Amino acid sequence: MADDLASRLLEASELHGDFVLSSGKRSPVYFDKFRFLTDPSLLKETAHAVAGLLPAGITHLAAPEGAATLLVAALALETHLPIAVVRKERKEYGTRSQVEGHAPAGARIALIEDVSTTGHQVLRAARILEAEGAEVSTIVLAIDRGGADHLREAGYWVKSVARVEADGAATR
Amino acid sequence: MADDLASRLLEASELHGDFVLSSGKRSPVYFDKFRFLTDPSLLKETAHAVAGLLPAGITHLAAPEGAATLLVAALALETHLPIAVVRKERKEYGTRSQVEGHAPAGARIALIEDVSTTGHQVLRAARILEAEGAEVSTIVLAIDRGGADHLREAGYWVKSVARVEADGAATR
């Protein structure tokens, strides 16, 4: 049963200590998404849960480059769908593409992100895929830390495996 | 049967056109490793072949950040081993670590790379893991384009799924 998956993802990823966050603020807690993405059992369970949230008709998966590629690889094995990886910057040689892998025009893509707080990186990846002629049919976040609302405001259909409230509590 | 996997990896990844390589040279052929890493069947088969090359006693997997994380995720699902991802640069906030995920002191690591031509990036990742107290017990390349020899000269035990000769022919 995956009923407690949300709590276990959070428990695996929450580190306690003295951290400087990307904002520059100090915090006694740091959320390290790599902790669940690099645990084979949690990775597999999360991919399975994400697969269960995909609508019918998806032809391709995509993820922004970085940690989310771990999740999208596991999801590809679960769903047998091909992957696109969206680079932060266009590659300067070879294919010179900002989208690696498989995202043909007309593809109906499920865009996958591990954790999203602002939705910015996901939105950027979605725009790049659309510029290539693909359709971003859905966005699935493993953990929504606030990004889903922003992505819905931008017009996307968004689902998440777990949602973290401002007080740190996990919900499904 | 994986007998022809080497040829299929190459066939899937070889693009024909007019390309500028990272060296600045023009080429009618470009080897796009993302083509096999983002194909769910080839990814799974490659991970299975890599798993078959791991010696006994490996406790953790690792990969340099980038495309190889697709392969190491698939391999983690195959082997149930935890993953470490080695960053190019130390993270400036949070854990401030150059190694994400799981690589405790004493870990016996299989370091995985998709394609290696010079061995430089792999060697750098190996040194970083060793500096954290882990042991790089083996290095496995999906495709060896010359990097394996350099890594062996540096003292590592290296295996590969496929080897590409200077003339582009694939061998196992």
Coordinates of all heavy atoms in Angstrom, one line a residue, chain B residues 2 11 16 25 30 34 45-46 53 78 80 94 97 104 116 128 132 145 156 159:
Chain B
A2 N 21.0 -10.5 -25.5 CA 21.6 -9.2 -25.6 C 22.8 -9.2 -26.5 O 23.6 -8.3 -26.5 CB 22.0 -8.7 -24.2
E11 N 23.4 2.0 -33.2 CA 22.4 2.3 -34.3 C 21.4 3.3 -33.8 O 21.1 4.3 -34.5 CB 21.7 1.0 -34.7 CG 20.9 1.1 -36.0 CD 20.3 -0.2 -36.3 OE1 19.6 -0.8 -35.5 OE2 20.5 -0.7 -37.5
H16 N 22.9 11.2 -38.5 CA 23.6 11.6 -39.7 C 23.1 13.0 -40.1 O 21.9 13.2 -40.2 CB 23.4 10.6 -40.8 CG 23.9 9.2 -40.4 ND1 25.2 8.9 -40.8 CD2 23.5 8.2 -39.7 CE1 25.5 7.7 -40.2 NE2 24.4 7.3 -39.6
K25 N 35.2 20.7 -34.5 CA 35.2 20.1 -35.9 C 33.8 19.9 -36.4 O 32.9 19.6 -35.6 CB 36.0 18.8 -35.8 CG 37.5 19.0 -35.7 CD 38.2 17.6 -35.8 CE 39.6 17.7 -35.4 NZ 40.2 16.4 -35.0
Y30 N 27.0 12.3 -35.7 CA 27.0 12.7 -34.3 C 26.5 11.6 -33.4 O 25.4 11.0 -33.8 CB 26.2 14.0 -34.1 CG 26.2 14.4 -32.7 CD1 27.3 14.9 -32.0 CD2 25.0 14.3 -31.9 CE1 27.3 15.3 -30.7 CE2 25.0 14.7 -30.6 CZ 26.1 15.2 -30.0 OH 26.1 15.6 -28.7
F34 N 21.8 10.3 -25.7 CA 20.4 10.4 -25.1 C 19.5 9.5 -25.9 O 18.4 9.1 -25.3 CB 19.9 11.8 -25.2 CG 20.4 12.7 -24.0 CD1 21.5 13.5 -24.1 CD2 19.8 12.6 -22.8 CE1 22.0 14.3 -23.0 CE2 20.2 13.4 -21.7 CZ 21.3 14.2 -21.8
E45 N 17.4 -2.8 -21.1 CA 18.4 -3.8 -21.5 C 19.8 -3.4 -21.2 O 20.6 -4.3 -20.8 CB 18.3 -3.9 -23.1 CG 17.3 -4.9 -23.6 CD 17.5 -5.2 -25.0 OE1 18.4 -6.0 -25.4 OE2 16.9 -4.5 -25.9
T46 N 20.1 -2.1 -21.3 CA 21.5 -1.7 -21.0 C 21.7 -1.8 -19.5 O 22.8 -2.3 -19.0 CB 21.7 -0.2 -21.4 OG1 21.4 -0.1 -22.8 CG2 23.2 0.2 -21.2
L53 N 27.6 -7.2 -15.2 CA 29.1 -6.9 -15.2 C 29.6 -6.5 -13.8 O 30.8 -6.4 -13.6 CB 29.4 -5.8 -16.2 CG 29.2 -6.1 -17.7 CD1 29.4 -4.9 -18.5 CD2 30.1 -7.3 -18.1
E78 N 17.0 -2.4 -11.0 CA 17.4 -3.8 -11.3 C 18.2 -4.5 -10.2 O 18.0 -5.7 -9.9 CB 18.3 -3.7 -12.6 CG 19.0 -5.0 -13.0 CD 18.3 -5.7 -14.1 OE1 17.5 -5.1 -14.8 OE2 18.5 -6.9 -14.3
H80 N 18.5 -3.1 -6.8 CA 18.1 -2.7 -5.5 C 19.2 -2.1 -4.7 O 19.1 -2.1 -3.4 CB 17.4 -3.8 -4.7 CG 16.4 -4.6 -5.5 ND1 15.1 -4.0 -5.8 CD2 16.4 -5.8 -6.1 CE1 14.4 -4.8 -6.5 NE2 15.2 -5.9 -6.8
G94 N 22.4 24.2 1.5 CA 21.8 23.0 2.0 C 22.9 22.1 2.5 O 23.7 22.5 3.4
S97 N 27.2 19.6 -0.3 CA 28.0 18.4 -0.7 C 28.2 18.3 -2.2 O 27.4 18.9 -2.9 CB 27.2 17.1 -0.2 OG 27.9 16.0 -0.6
P104 N 28.0 6.4 1.8 CA 28.7 6.4 3.2 C 30.1 6.0 3.1 O 30.5 5.2 2.2 CB 27.8 5.5 4.0 CG 27.2 4.5 3.0 CD 27.0 5.3 1.8
S116 N 32.2 7.0 -22.3 CA 33.4 7.7 -21.9 C 34.5 7.7 -23.1 O 34.8 6.6 -23.6 CB 34.0 7.1 -20.7 OG 35.2 7.7 -20.3
I128 N 36.4 12.1 -6.2 CA 35.5 12.7 -5.2 C 34.8 11.7 -4.3 O 34.7 11.9 -3.1 CB 34.4 13.6 -6.0 CG1 35.1 14.8 -6.7 CG2 33.3 14.1 -5.1 CD1 34.3 15.4 -7.8
E132 N 35.4 11.1 0.0 CA 34.3 11.0 1.0 C 34.5 9.7 1.8 O 33.6 9.4 2.6 CB 33.0 11.0 0.3 CG 32.7 12.2 -0.6 CD 31.9 13.3 0.2 OE1 31.1 12.9 1.0 OE2 32.1 14.5 0.0
R145 N 34.3 4.5 -25.5 CA 34.8 5.1 -26.7 C 36.3 5.4 -26.5 O 36.7 6.4 -27.1 CB 34.0 6.3 -27.1 CG 32.6 5.9 -27.7 CD 31.7 7.1 -27.9 NE 32.3 8.1 -28.8 CZ 31.9 8.4 -30.1 NH1 30.8 7.8 -30.5 NH2 32.5 9.3 -30.8
Y156 N 42.0 1.5 -12.0 CA 40.6 1.0 -11.8 C 40.3 -0.3 -12.6 O 40.9 -0.5 -13.6 CB 39.6 2.1 -12.1 CG 39.7 3.2 -11.2 CD1 40.4 4.4 -11.5 CD2 39.1 3.2 -9.9 CE1 40.5 5.4 -10.6 CE2 39.2 4.2 -9.0 CZ 39.9 5.3 -9.3 OH 40.0 6.4 -8.4
K159 N 34.8 -2.3 -16.8 CA 34.1 -3.1 -17.8 C 33.2 -2.2 -18.6 O 32.9 -1.1 -18.2 CB 33.2 -4.1 -17.0 CG 34.0 -5.2 -16.2 CD 34.2 -6.4 -17.1 CE 34.8 -7.5 -16.2 NZ 35.0 -8.7 -17.0

